[in-house]
Amino acid sequence: LLANATIRRASCTTAFVTLRSVSRCVEAQQVLLSHDAIWQVREAPEPRDIIWQNVRNPAEQVETRHRLAIAASVWGLLFWSVPVAGIQLLASIDTLTKLFPATKRDLKDACPGVFNFLTNYLPVMALMGLQMVLPVIFRQVAMRYEGHKTKSVLQRIIFRRCFNYQLATLYITQSFGSLWSSLELILDHPTQILEILSTELPKISVYFTTFVVARIGTSLPLLILRPWSYCQ
């Protein structure tokens, strides 16, 4: 187990078999070759879908590292609120004013539009920048450490993990922050818990609206224009 998790093993458990007829191919996929599941036969992926540098990775090693990566992803998901809260705190206009006292006054007088944009969208843009780093990290872990052999499997893993982190960011972190700020009021006035929650929870909708508008104004134009294609 330790060798599968740390040292890249040289043995290979993958082979490609070419059959001359479709019937033989279907028959080979349906025939029971082993009662202990040592042999696993499946239709070969397209050549463009194969990550050839990972083909020689043993299946046991890939499975072990995949489970360790899932455990690390879950562990990071539990503490994901820490970097998100730090980004929200550092990217707020109040924090920047404390670090640079003259910035707020000068910027508000010189460029009111820029000041309003930073006040409304700076925390959201900073959070979106943090989320843009996640697919790069997940891709490197899934391809270089876990050693998955097809790009389709790689994309499914990246999508699933990014979705979980984005779900935690939008729902758990924001809802928890709103409930935490209301906890003191609820403890002081427990009989008014419904009234307090009805006042505090709708404030989250402002963040959701800002986040959706920011995504539409940045991600969608980038996907349509594809500026990175001009750099190749």
Side-chain angles (χ1 to χ4, degrees):
L1 178 62
L2 183 61
N4 289 332
T6 56
I7 304 175
R8 184 178 293 273
R9 303 175 67 178
S11 59
C12 179
T13 59
T14 303
F16 296 95
V17 179
T18 303
L19 302 176
R20 297 185 178 181
S21 65
V22 178
S23 59
R24 294 298 183 184
C25 181
V26 175
E27 181 181 350
Q29 297 181 48
Q30 297 178 352
V31 170
L32 180 63
L33 300 178
S34 175
H35 292 281
D36 50 7
I38 296 179
W39 289 81
Q40 298 181 6
V41 180
R42 65 189 64 177
E43 184 179 359
E46 296 185 8
R48 62 180 179 179
D49 188 38
I50 299 175
I51 304 176
W52 293 101
Q53 64 190 35
N54 292 340
V55 169
R56 65 184 182 88
N57 294 336
E60 183 181 358
Q61 173 182 296
V62 174
E63 183 65 24
T64 301
R65 294 189 176 189
H66 179 60
R67 293 178 179 177
L68 292 176
I70 291 177
S73 178
V74 172
W75 182 85
L77 195 63
L78 296 176
F79 298 95
W80 180 238
S81 59
V82 176
V84 171
I87 288 292
Q88 296 292 315
L89 180 62
L90 295 176
S92 64
I93 195 67
D94 295 333
T95 303
L96 295 179
T97 302
K98 293 179 181 179
L99 297 176
F100 308 99
T103 302
K104 181 177 180 180
R105 182 182 64 256
D106 298 339
L107 186 61
K108 188 174 182 179
D109 296 337
C111 303
V114 176
F115 176 79
N116 293 332
F117 176 81
L118 293 178
T119 303
N120 296 325
Y121 291 99
L122 184 59
V124 176
M125 298 297 290
L127 184 58
M128 289 174 56
L130 179 63
Q131 291 180 345
M132 291 177 62
V133 180
L134 291 178
V136 180
I137 298 176
F138 292 150
R139 177 180 177 82
Q140 294 299 320
V141 171
M143 184 173 66
R144 299 186 181 277
Y145 175 71
E146 299 178 42
H148 293 284
K149 304 179 182 183
T150 58
K151 297 178 183 178
S152 57
V153 173
L154 198 70
Q155 293 298 325
R156 285 197 298 269
I157 292 174
I158 296 173
F159 176 79
R160 188 181 302 113
R161 293 174 183 173
C162 288
F163 175 78
N164 292 333
Y165 273 78
Q166 187 168 3
L167 187 67
T169 301
L170 294 180
Y171 290 94
I172 300 177
T173 304
Q174 296 300 321
S175 300
F176 179 77
S178 179
L179 292 176
W180 183 262
S181 62
S182 306
L183 182 59
E184 185 176 356
L185 295 175
I186 294 175
L187 294 177
D188 294 337
H189 308 282
T191 58
Q192 301 179 3
I193 180 173
L194 295 179
E195 182 179 354
I196 295 174
L197 292 178
S198 64
T199 304
E200 295 295 330
L201 288 180
K203 296 180 181 179
I204 306 177
S205 61
V206 178
Y207 177 84
F208 285 134
T209 304
T210 305
F211 184 82
V212 171
V213 171
R215 294 286 291 188
I216 294 175
T218 55
S219 302
L220 188 59
L222 288 176
L223 291 175
I224 295 176
L225 298 177
R226 298 177 60 86
W228 53 84
S229 61
Y230 298 99
C231 301
Q232 299 178 355

